[in-house]
Amino acid sequence: MQVTASRRGRGVERWRSATGAAALRRTLAEVHPVGRSLGCANVRRGISSAESGPGRERVFCFGGILFLVERDDCLHALDELLAECSRGNGSVALVSGGLATGKTELLDHFAERAAGQGALVLRATGSKAEQALPMGAMSQLFQDAALPAGPVERVEEIVAAAARSPAAGEPAEDTGRHTAQEARDLCALLLELAAERPVVIGIDDVHFVDNASLHTLLYLQRRVRSARILLVLNEWTRPRMAQPFFHAETTRQPHHRIRLDRLSRTGVHDLFAHSLGEHTAGRLASSAYLLTGGNPMLVNALIEDCERRADHDPDDGSARITPGVCFDQAVHSILHRWEPALLEVAQGQAVLGEHASPALIARLLGVMPERAAEMQDILGTAGLLGPSGFPEPVAAAVLGTLDAEERSQLHSLCAELLHKLGSSTAEIAVHLLAADRASGRWAMEVLRDAAAQALAGNDAEHAAACLELALDACTHDAERLTITAMLARAAWRVNPAAILPHLDTLREAVREGSLNGRDVVNVIRYLLWQGDIEGAGEIMNDPAVMDDLADAQHTAELSLILLAMRGPSHHPLPRGAEPATPGAPEIGGPFGNPWARATATLTDVLQRESPEAAVMSAEYILQSCRLSDTTLEITAFALLALQFSGRPDLAALWCDGLIEEAVRRRANTWQAVLGSVRAEIALRQGDLAIAEAKAEAAFSRLQPKGWGVLIGLPISTLVMVHTALNRPERAAELLTLLVPEAMFDTSFGLLYLRARGHHHLAGDRALAALSDFQSCGTKLRDWNADVPTLMPWRTDLAEVYLKLARPDVTRDLVDRQLELPGSQNGVVRGVSLRVKAAAGELGQRPRLLKKAIELLQDSGNRLELVRALADLSAAYQALGDFARARTSGRRAVQEAKLCYAGAVPAQLLRGLPGEVVVAEREKKEEPAPAKGDTSTALSDAERRVATLAAVGHTNREIGNKLYITVSTVEQHLTRIYRKLQVSSRDELLEGLRLRREPEDLLDDHDGGELAAEREF
């Protein structure tokens, strides 16, 4: 008879029909009588899962938990054999299965069931450590405390006699000639015991049992057919049997074969559902099956890991399962159950990966290919090894059995083997990196080629790791320099700070003439990036070095890098790259050198008004330059040039496409720089939400040291955003970060100074702001780049003097700015008119502000538009035109919402009429604080009446302005007095101030708005 574990059986259906803890206990007691004696402790987890959903009988005992999933047919077969045994028909059951498929757990459970039915259960377990001990397994059978002393003493005498046998250590086929008498005596004793009651003999791991005991078991097998003895033997399934003679003799005689297969996908689901609930099983069981191959021990280990980490939380909708310590321990336990060769082959398999074959493993470990194939088959039978090798968590657990030195040595041997076999450089490099050692020229060449392939495949991080290791294997100076230059290019793409240890070597190589062409440009770029102006200048002032830069594209690239990093006329451009003089004939035909022409035009945009030409040149560069390590700064500057030329929409479109390419090519530095540029573009468009998100994401990609002098770009954007949103603490925190001193000598330093100046201005530190804005103006004039589109520093300075109550100086600064080239830009002119209006006569403000609003609306700068609308609303309020004040204020609120994704920043609401602010707050359901009872707020009509009454209007004047009767005004005032808990008009002002923020409703600066209202 042959029985294979199935998923369906009698116990299963009875389990499924049981719900609740009591029903579960009754079912266990009916199906398994031993359930009565096990108690609740052994089935506590089963009770819990039965309460939460359907389950399945379990027989596997992992950590004291009974499982009977897909093993009910096996258990039923043993029950039938036990029943036959009780009627005097003994038999042998051979239970076979792969590693950790539950043979021991099945035998344990059946033994308890048999004992519960009155049978005498004798157990023994084979062990490699005791395989040389004659009759060791047989002596274990009689160590049961329930046996009388007489039989135990006889067994001890028989075992002692067997130990004195001259053939105790011989193979089983030879041992039988010398141990026949001992076997006969032991079997006679067992038959005597079986005469009293059924005897169940369970031998676990029979393949590790000593030869004398095996001979005795064969002797007994021939005599059990008419005795009440059931012999249950557990053995591992493997291609080459450990005890071929014993196995052949056992299977030649009548026996019952019971096979234990791994769990099916359904079985794994049932196991998860029983322990963790149906919801978790639905999410995790499928991935658990793929990971474990249905091995019960591994499945249970995953369940234990899930319980430890609470991965089965029903609120977690992911289908992710993460193996942990229990899983690793289960893998280790399986590998150590067999002979050492199994563990060694598993380690070789894990190191070689999915391309491992018996031949490769054999050569790596120095074993026979047949032996490696046998161990691979065992691993596959256990569910550890799939068609594509080990699953990643299993491979990690297998490698965890090696210490660091052993793992390194194995990977090193593997790399050398693959190199001899002609494997790909990428595959060999993986093992060299894992070994963290490389020796020999072949290793250096492999790593260098693998790095080149990785760079071509946009994996700069892997390329840098390969080149770092290649330097250790390199002994030739010229090759070391080539690898170092290549390493710098790869590392710069990931983290510019990583090239610092190699920068001195590269700079010295340029001085000696060992590097030329693009490598020279790169070294200058690295030095400028880190703020080493002196080092970069030394190279550019060396005629021999610069003469080697004969390629026009190289010289133009260097010119644009200098332009972006240092500003125009701040450092002499390299010879041959000077911008062409406007109007001069071009060398090389009617079109000349396009790179030189583009450089000249972009330089021109910073020195004079030429927006159309700058846009054309910027787009030419963006179309012609493929994004790369050597063109990043050029690309970024071209984007900013589009913005400076009044085309932020076009700049944003180009920048978004380039960021997508940088993400696709996994270039971290590119993403950081382009993200910062995109944030600056969004800030110039007045989109604070995008500016903040892009700047934060970009800034987090590099450590401050990695940013070099470019750190001024993301910091300046973030400081401007936080200042506009009234977050002084966050802006101040950014400004405390250490920045390179050389940054202040670059265009990024100007952005930093301007942002810091606005932070000071918002904090009423007018003199500090004055200093920063003046520094910006001085540098721009020194660079011959005093163009308002680049930086309207005069407007910034004018706002400081406005704060210092110097309107005459404010107007003078604005007028001077409006006379400069570039001042016709919509944003520049709109902001200038807004500031000029603030410094002018009250009656003239609406006219100027309307023009400013028109310009800012056309330019698309929403932030400046909000400020102009708020100023217009405040001007109308001061003039007593409350209807227009409300209209402008409400529009300012709507535009402010668009500035920051629907949320109106409090800082942008300053200066708006109070009723507009309160109305906005009520929309957001934010009650304003009240003097007494804060539960009742003023209605819109009551707010309008209260505001007019507070500034001194009579009831009739209020009625005329609001088109209501005097009686209605009086009724409103009665309710207003009650809600504000005031008794007269004189107290209205104080009541309104307590109900709302002073700067939001009524200007606190000496009652300015009230005075203006009364004068009007």
Side-chain angles (χ1 to χ4, degrees), residues 932-933 936 938 942 971-983 988 995:
D933 180 12
T936 307
L938 299 179
E942 290 169 348
Q971 293 173 20
H972 279 317
L973 286 173
T974 300
R975 289 192 294 270
I976 291 167
Y977 291 160
R978 184 180 67 251
K979 291 180 179 180
L980 297 184
Q981 297 185 5
V982 298
S983 58
L988 269 180
R995 288 296 297 266

Side-chain angles (χ1 to χ4, degrees), residues 665-737:
R665 296 174 64 182
R666 294 178 289 176
N668 188 59
T669 303
W670 302 358
Q671 294 178 55
V673 173
L674 292 173
S676 295
V677 172
R678 183 64 180 89
E680 178 66 17
I681 294 171
L683 179 64
R684 297 289 182 111
Q685 291 178 307
D687 196 330
L688 300 181
I690 292 181
E692 181 181 15
K694 295 291 185 182
E696 288 282 7
F699 190 54
S700 64
R701 287 196 164 275
L702 297 176
Q703 294 297 321
K705 192 175 183 180
W707 277 100
V709 298
L710 273 77
I711 195 172
L713 183 57
I715 287 182
S716 64
T717 302
L718 287 172
V719 169
M720 291 288 279
V721 169
H722 293 321
T723 300
L725 297 176
N726 196 24
R727 302 170 182 167
E729 296 83 5
R730 296 176 66 176
E733 183 181 352
L734 287 166
L735 292 172
T736 59
L737 294 175

Side-chain angles (χ1 to χ4, degrees), residues 846 850 869 872-877 879-891 913 916:
K850 285 180 181 179
L869 285 168
L872 181 60
S873 180
Y876 280 134
Q877 179 82 359
L879 292 170
D881 194 342
F882 298 107
R884 291 183 178 179
R886 286 193 300 274
T887 301
S888 299
R890 287 169 181 165
R891 185 183 172 194
V916 174

Side-chain angles (χ1 to χ4, degrees), residues 779-948:
K779 290 180 180 296
L780 287 170
R781 286 196 298 267
D782 291 344
W783 294 357
N784 192 25
D786 189 7
V787 180
T789 53
L790 178 62
M791 182 171 293
W793 62 273
R794 288 180 178 81
T795 306
D796 300 331
L797 203 59
E799 292 195 78
V800 176
Y801 282 108
L802 192 61
K803 177 84 72 172
L804 295 173
R806 295 289 304 277
D808 53 335
V809 179
T810 299
R811 289 191 296 271
D812 181 59
L813 285 167
V814 171
D815 290 340
R816 286 163 59 189
Q817 178 164 281
L818 291 173
E819 295 172 357
L820 291 173
S823 61
Q824 299 307 311
N825 176 275
V827 176
V828 173
R829 190 168 183 80
V831 174
S832 300
L833 292 176
R834 178 181 64 79
V835 176
K836 186 174 183 179
E841 296 295 332
L842 178 61
Q844 299 298 318
R845 290 179 191 174
R847 180 181 61 81
L848 292 173
L849 288 171
K850 285 180 181 179
K851 182 60 178 177
I853 290 170
E854 181 182 347
L855 292 168
L856 292 170
Q857 183 172 296
D858 293 340
S859 69
N861 191 315
R862 185 167 284 116
L863 178 61
E864 292 298 339
L865 177 60
V866 170
R867 289 169 175 162
L869 285 168
D871 285 357
L872 181 60
S873 180
Y876 280 134
Q877 179 82 359
L879 292 170
D881 194 342
F882 298 107
R884 291 183 178 179
R886 286 193 300 274
T887 301
S888 299
R890 287 169 181 165
R891 185 183 172 194
V893 169
Q894 294 303 316
E895 294 291 344
K897 288 182 179 180
L898 298 176
C899 278
Y900 202 67
V904 181
Q907 179 75 358
L908 300 183
L909 295 178
R910 281 189 181 172
L912 297 186
E915 54 190 299
V916 174
V917 178
V918 173
E920 177 59 28
R921 281 183 173 166
E922 287 181 347
K923 289 178 185 177
K924 297 190 293 182
E925 298 181 356
E926 296 180 1
K931 178 178 180 181
D933 180 12
T934 60
S935 62
T936 307
L938 299 179
S939 66
D940 288 344
E942 290 169 348
R943 271 193 301 273
R944 289 192 287 271
V945 170
T947 303
L948 293 173

Side-chain angles (χ1 to χ4, degrees), residues 587-598:
I587 301 174
F591 298 102
N593 184 336
W595 280 98
R597 186 62 182 171

